[in-house]
Amino acid sequence: VTFSSCEEDVDFVVGCMDSEALNYNSSATEDDNSCEFASLSVSELIFGDWNLDSSSLNMIFPEDIVDLLMMMSLMMTPEEFEDEVGFPMPSSSAEWDDFAVNGISQDLDISGVLTITSSIFSINDDQDGITELEYQLVNDDTIEFLNPGEEVNFDHFIIDELNETNLVLTTSFQVEEEEMIIDVLQKMYFSK
């Protein structure tokens, strides 16, 4: 007795079945989840419109100002200190040490859209309107502005995080207030 079938014998070929993958196998009949995709370069990932979700500032004071503030705190109540200088008085040695190193941190209430093209870094925020800056990508983590001008305090951004949906930028600069130089560290969080 002989048994036969009209169906063709099908050879199973295991492999990547996604045609967008680097290792696509056109003869695969069963996907083995081995697909590999090209990772996008920083310049490809960074282009587009980014929504500003939040921003923070750390203001770091010179050592002589920290010493002066510590002396003031000995002669004032915490309420008087905050009324005078505009931020809460550190209450322990550890808090003063932290203040000396990290300064004052404050969240900024700003929103807007950042648009990045191959040569223009355009910031459209609710407070200052549109600022367009010509830039170059120095390496995978540094954006340098070619002619920032006087309208901005910074001349570069460091890319702390970058993927398809999130961008975190940090910059540092100095400001002069009442004949003292304050170091400022600003961090901005964006999403698509």
Side-chain angles (χ1 to χ4, degrees), residues 106-126:
Q106 41 182 223
D107 293 330
L108 300 177
D109 187 23
I110 58 175
S111 61
V113 176
L114 168 65
T115 301
I116 303 175
T117 67
S118 60
S119 63
I120 300 294
F121 193 94
S122 178
I123 304 165
N124 184 357
D125 69 51
D126 297 340

Side-chain angles (χ1 to χ4, degrees), residues 72-87 89:
M72 288 172 60
S73 73
L74 298 173
M75 298 177 269
M76 297 178 164
T77 66
E79 294 79 19
E80 292 170 334
F81 182 92
E82 188 167 357
D83 286 344
E84 181 70 26
V85 298
F87 56 87
M89 180 173 75

Side-chain angles (χ1 to χ4, degrees), residues 1-9:
V1 177
T2 304
F3 293 97
S4 65
S5 170
C6 296
E7 291 182 28
E8 230 178 86
D9 287 338

Side-chain angles (χ1 to χ4, degrees), residues 26 28 41 58 66 79 101 118 151 160 163 168 175 178 184 191:
S26 61
S41 69
N58 271 41
V66 173
E79 294 79 19
V101 172
S118 60
E151 70 270 7
D160 288 337
N163 57 46
V168 179
V175 294
E178 298 177 15
V184 178
S191 64

Side-chain angles (χ1 to χ4, degrees), residues 54-185:
S54 64
S55 182
S56 65
L57 263 181
N58 271 41
M59 296 188 303
I60 302 167
F61 295 91
E63 187 177 339
D64 59 332
I65 299 301
V66 173
D67 292 342
L68 176 65
L69 292 171
M70 287 178 78
M71 277 185 10
M72 288 172 60
S73 73
L74 298 173
M75 298 177 269
M76 297 178 164
T77 66
E79 294 79 19
E80 292 170 334
F81 182 92
E82 188 167 357
D83 286 344
E84 181 70 26
V85 298
F87 56 87
M89 180 173 75
S91 59
S92 67
S93 294
E95 286 183 10
W96 277 109
D97 290 344
D98 183 61
F99 172 75
V101 172
N102 299 312
I104 306 167
S105 181
Q106 41 182 223
D107 293 330
L108 300 177
D109 187 23
I110 58 175
S111 61
V113 176
L114 168 65
T115 301
I116 303 175
T117 67
S118 60
S119 63
I120 300 294
F121 193 94
S122 178
I123 304 165
N124 184 357
D125 69 51
D126 297 340
Q127 296 174 346
D128 300 325
I130 298 174
T131 303
E132 289 189 348
L133 302 167
E134 192 175 358
Y135 80 96
Q136 66 182 358
L137 195 58
V138 176
N139 52 40
D140 283 350
D141 64 1
T142 305
I143 297 168
E144 183 178 272
F145 299 106
L146 303 179
N147 298 306
E150 293 181 16
E151 70 270 7
V152 294
N153 294 326
F154 49 85
D155 60 3
H156 73 284
F157 272 115
I158 301 298
I159 302 169
D160 288 337
E161 179 185 337
L162 176 61
N163 57 46
E164 284 91 3
T165 58
N166 295 306
L167 172 63
V168 179
L169 299 176
T170 303
T171 190
S172 58
F173 52 91
Q174 292 184 324
V175 294
E176 186 173 342
E177 282 192 21
E178 298 177 15
E179 299 180 22
M180 93 174 121
I181 304 292
I182 300 173
D183 291 321
V184 178
L185 178 68

